[in-house]
Amino acid sequence: PAFRRGLAKEAGPRTVRQLREAEEAAPVFQYAGKAAKRKDRVFVWGFCYSGALGVPSFVKPDVGWKKPRRIQPTPYRLETEEKISSAACGYGFTLLSSNTTDIIKVWGMGLNKDSQLGFQRSIRDRTKGYEYVLEPSPIPLPLEKPQQTRVLQVSCGRAHSLILTDSEGVFTMGNNSYGQCGRKVVEDETYIESHLIHQLKEFDSRVVQVVCGQDHSLFRTKKGAVYACGWGADGQTGLGHYNITSVPTKLRGDIAGVNIIQVSSYGDCCLAVSDEGDVFGWGNSEYLQLASVTETTQVNVPRHLPFKIGKIKEAACGGTGNIVLTEEGNVFVWGYGILGKGPNLIETAVPEMIPPSLFGWSDFNPDIRVAHVRCGLSQFAALTNRGELFVWGKNLRGCLGTGRMEDQYFPWRVTVPGEVVDVACGVDHMVSMVKSF
Amino acid sequence: MAAVPGGLFAVYKPAGVAWGRVREAVETQLLRELNAAAAGRAPRQHVRFLPAPAGGDGGATGLVAAKVPVLADHPLVRGPRFRRLKIGAGHRLDVKASGVFVLGIGDGNKLLTDLYNCHLTKVYTVGGLFGKATDDFSDTGKLVEKTTFDHITREKLERILAVIQGTNHKALLMHSNIDMKTQEAYELAVKGLIRPMGKSPPIITAVRSLQFALPEFQLEIHCLHETQQYLRKIVHEIGLELKSSAVCTQVRRIRDGVFTLDDALPRTQWNLQSIRNAISDCQLKVKTELEKTLGYQDKSNLHKMDAEVAHTADS
């Protein structure tokens, strides 16, 4: 008779049939459905002490034993309530804006000593304002129709900021000692804790892009005209003189009558791209930015730059170097500083192409193209059509986001967990808008 | 006459067999053939004075000269001519994987070390299946979880592959131990020749999706310093990143440095003549590759030595 224990099951490997049945009976988990949407995120990195990154625990840690973080060397996620559509980095402060129809459309963080973030009322003393804003705080705008107007774009300069709306013109705030806010210069005006936000409406047509240089402002209208105001000692206002302008005035020179589709500036040099693919420049030329047309170091009238590199799609100006993107997807740099072609290329007056293999192009991936180029004060950024971000230039206080503190002499990938849609470069920090996978 | 061949050749390792068994099978087959060829050698003859066959009644001991084979040459005394062959293996393949497996015979074993130091990329065809996660990342393991996968599209997969390539490209540059601030590093980066020439963690240089038919998919992966289990782990991680799960069904090496699938001998051709032909076919390819890679490295080693000498002279 066979001995059966009766209580326990027989030992031995499970048969193939048993395994298959167990597998089919296992529950199926669903992590993402067919309609799963990709989320929009904001990543920041760079110098933290100014508060420009918007994470208060970097400057004032939550726990007593932690030390304040001076530099955030790799991208750090910034939690925002709304989807951010436009961001701009100034000199120690950041503006984020969303094109929602809610009341609060713009948030700012960082330095506020010139009220470049508007009046941020202090909680402790209701009459005083904050000098440093450590987390994204709403900026109240004096809109006529706050629930219908949308904010399209923001831009930041050294100590002033511009906010572009779709139907109510441009709002300016911050330092106005050179008229960069578009209003008359008031002698001995105190800019700290100022409630004044100026509104600019008189242009020939609707303003579609606003750009801040260091102490000047540029406005591009729908008809293709460019207006400027602010400091002009380097000719960056392009109005034919080297004085201050406090009212936005239309630029003439080589761009009179030309339909400009993009303007760019960050330091004291300015570039404009026309719809036919030509590039025009004016402003500071001490670093050979405009040396291809003139020997003078300041150009106060827009001049056409005759480069034979193809039709130009996008241009960006930095403090000492310039970068353009052509229709074929090639990137050209010129100027002074770390331009991205190794440590040997320090300065050039004629644009030099950066080889596409540095952006990931190879025989295996022949359809990688650079889609956008951006410039900070001494660093460059390029976005490819695959959503990768490449940076190079001087790594001032960790602003490149590579995780290392050394300067980067050729384009280097920044590891961001997502597809980078847009990036804004500042002096010592950067903000990027990213779509999750 | 039956000389042992010397050189490198590639063999197609089938799945389900350990690499050691493949090496022993090739060795056994070669030994069999070499011994059979050597056995045809006629034994030496020598003259011995043997006693004549005794005719009549004993006593008459006449010696007759006769040419007899030397006993020492008898096959049963000597034994087989070859008892072992020096066959070395190149980059190994584990039991479940299949594909090109490089072996070296005799003098070719020295070239094996040189080939290893070249750090050339290997190409694999990796097949995966969405919807399952197992403990050893392959479809024969114990089931851990089942998930849905109908939200996965080819575009999402390509996006993940682009990210993998990006992070691995960065790892490639970082582990190659070159100072990023030199002009030399910039020029190598432009040409795409930066590679880690020493030990490094597994790095994937390129990925591409070949087929995509839910739930199956197939990838072509070019990698360095990898193991097949690492590739299965990558498939599992791709599944996780796509918010589902994946197991690896097939890992097949289609290229190992300069040896491709065309050079790999199938099991029916594991004999002496085919191996000799394979060695002579691949000889030139291997030589040029070694000179190209190690020749450059010798030059850069000389540069480093000169720089060190100059530095010590200054300080």
Side-chain angles (χ1 to χ4, degrees), chain B residues 236-254:
Chain B
H236 170 80
E237 284 176 3
I238 288 176
L240 289 181
E241 198 61 51
L242 288 165
K243 301 192 181 68
S244 175
S245 52
V247 289
C248 176
T249 45
Q250 176 206 45
V251 175
R252 186 177 185 231
R253 188 193 277 159
I254 55 181

Side-chain angles (χ1 to χ4, degrees), chain A residues 222-270:
Chain A
K222 202 159 155 138
K223 286 197 181 158
V226 179
Y227 288 72
C229 65
W231 200 38
D234 276 329
Q236 59 262 55
T237 45
L239 296 168
H241 56 79
Y242 293 110
N243 306 327
I244 290 175
T245 317
S246 52
V247 173
T249 321
K250 195 160 162 171
L251 266 70
R252 305 196 54 82
D254 283 358
I255 60 174
V258 178
N259 184 12
I260 302 286
I261 55 167
Q262 198 232 339
V263 206
S264 168
S265 174
Y266 200 69
D268 291 326
C269 179
C270 312

Side-chain angles (χ1 to χ4, degrees), chain A residues 23 26 28-34 38 341 343-344 355 357-358 364-365 386 410 412-413 415 419 437, chain B residues 132 145-148 150-151 159 162-163 165-166 169-170 173 180-183 186 190 206 208 222 243:
Chain A
E23 201 178 296
V28 178
F29 292 90
Q30 185 182 48
Y31 291 107
K34 272 201 167 159
R38 295 167 73 184
K341 290 193 68 153
N344 288 358
S357 56
L358 289 173
F364 220 69
N365 301 319
R386 294 273 187 98
F410 57 90
W412 187 264
R413 242 181 213 94
T415 321
E419 198 183 306
F437 286 130
Chain B
K132 254 172 59 162
E145 195 182 62
K146 281 198 333 194
T147 59
T148 59
D150 46 359
H151 62 277
R159 214 183 293 143
V163 168
Q165 275 197 59
H169 187 66
K170 207 165 137 179
L173 297 178
M180 288 299 151
K181 294 198 184 163
T182 54
Q183 184 68 17
Y186 165 71
V190 171
R208 189 166 60 165
H222 296 230
K243 301 192 181 68

Side-chain angles (χ1 to χ4, degrees), chain B:
Chain B
M1 190 213 88
V4 178
L8 292 174
F9 65 101
V11 149
Y12 188 90
K13 177 186 120 40
V17 176
W19 66 270
R21 304 254 189 218
V22 168
R23 194 203 73 87
E24 281 164 11
V26 170
E27 189 180 337
T28 315
Q29 184 61 28
L30 279 180
L31 278 173
R32 208 180 284 156
E33 288 187 17
L34 284 170
N35 287 331
R41 218 160 54 149
R44 286 175 295 170
Q45 308 269 0
H46 68 321
V47 177
R48 298 251 7 226
F49 293 97
L50 296 171
D57 351 89
T61 47
L63 289 171
V64 175
K67 213 162 181 206
V68 289
V70 176
L71 256 187
D73 278 348
H74 194 274
L76 287 174
V77 173
R78 279 188 95 106
R81 173 87 205 261
F82 299 102
R83 296 183 60 178
R84 282 225 292 256
L85 284 174
K86 277 203 178 138
I87 299 188
H91 294 112
R92 303 192 283 266
L93 281 166
D94 63 6
V95 176
K96 285 184 269 209
S98 61
V100 174
F101 181 35
V102 175
L103 295 171
I105 282 191
D107 291 328
N109 289 318
K110 296 180 200 130
L111 295 175
L112 274 179
T113 355
D114 292 335
L115 258 193
Y116 175 77
N117 292 335
C118 278
H119 301 281
L120 300 167
T121 57
K122 294 172 225 64
V123 180
Y124 287 81
T125 312
V126 176
L129 191 73
F130 284 120
K132 254 172 59 162
T134 55
D135 59 347
D136 67 348
F137 312 134
S138 77
D139 53 351
T140 51
K142 181 170 146 213
L143 180 73
V144 168
E145 195 182 62
K146 281 198 333 194
T147 59
T148 59
F149 50 84
D150 46 359
H151 62 277
I152 300 178
T153 61
R154 187 163 190 158
E155 193 208 73
K156 288 189 192 169
L157 181 66
E158 304 262 335
R159 214 183 293 143
I160 302 289
L161 296 181
V163 168
I164 291 179
Q165 275 197 59
T167 43
N168 275 280
H169 187 66
K170 207 165 137 179
L172 190 72
L173 297 178
M174 285 202 315
H175 286 283
S176 60
N177 270 341
I178 299 188
D179 187 8
M180 288 299 151
K181 294 198 184 163
T182 54
Q183 184 68 17
E184 189 193 331
Y186 165 71
E187 272 157 27
L188 284 178
V190 171
K191 284 189 234 156
L193 290 179
I194 292 192
R195 243 183 16 231
M197 294 304 274
K199 278 201 192 304
S200 84
I203 296 183
I204 295 182
T205 52
V207 198
R208 189 166 60 165
S209 75
L210 293 175
Q211 282 171 32
F212 184 80
L214 282 180
E216 290 167 1
F217 66 100
Q218 210 177 48
L219 304 172
E220 185 184 310
I221 304 185
H222 296 230
C223 39
L224 273 177
H225 306 157
E226 81 303 338
T227 53
Q228 285 79 43
Q229 191 61 12
Y230 180 77
L231 296 174
R232 292 191 193 101
K233 190 171 157 197
I234 292 282
V235 168
H236 170 80
E237 284 176 3
I238 288 176
L240 289 181
E241 198 61 51
L242 288 165
K243 301 192 181 68
S244 175
S245 52
V247 289
C248 176
T249 45
Q250 176 206 45
V251 175
R252 186 177 185 231
R253 188 193 277 159
I254 55 181
R255 196 191 151 99
D256 184 345
V258 280
F259 295 93
T260 58
L261 267 185
D262 304 324
D263 306 322
L265 298 172
R267 199 154 66 102
T268 49
Q269 288 181 20
W270 290 355
N271 48 42
L272 188 60
Q273 192 50 43
S274 329
I275 290 179
R276 268 200 230 271
N277 295 341
I279 291 178
S280 56
D281 288 338
C282 302
Q283 215 171 21
L284 189 61
K285 274 202 290 193
V286 171
K287 209 161 86 110
T288 44
E289 186 63 44
L290 283 177
E291 273 169 12
K292 200 167 73 160
T293 317
L294 295 179
Y296 168 74
Q297 211 186 28
D298 279 340
K299 262 190 272 175
S300 68
N301 275 340
L302 280 171
H303 276 200
K304 282 197 195 118
M305 271 164 45
D306 286 347
E308 275 171 14
V309 165
H311 189 69
T312 47
D314 288 339
S315 58

Side-chain angles (χ1 to χ4, degrees), chain A residues 142-214:
Chain A
L143 295 164
E144 278 173 17
K145 300 194 177 129
Q147 281 166 332
Q148 284 176 33
T149 320
R150 289 182 198 266
V151 168
L152 299 176
Q153 192 215 329
V154 281
S155 185
C156 303
R158 182 187 62 88
H160 72 294
S161 20
L162 302 177
I163 300 173
L164 173 65
T165 59
D166 58 350
S167 51
E168 297 198 30
V170 181
F171 289 90
T172 68
M173 33 198 209
N175 192 305
N176 194 42
S177 21
Y178 303 106
Q180 62 263 48
C181 285
R183 54 188 169 90
K184 202 147 132 17
V185 181
V186 174
E187 285 275 338
D188 295 331
E189 181 178 351
T190 41
Y191 297 106
I192 191 166
E193 293 167 9
S194 158
H195 290 254
L196 185 56
I197 299 185
H198 189 65
Q199 189 178 13
L200 293 167
K201 279 201 193 178
E202 287 91 30
F203 296 95
D204 63 350
S205 52
R206 198 163 66 84
V207 178
V208 285
Q209 189 192 358
V210 285
V211 168
C212 286
Q214 193 163 356

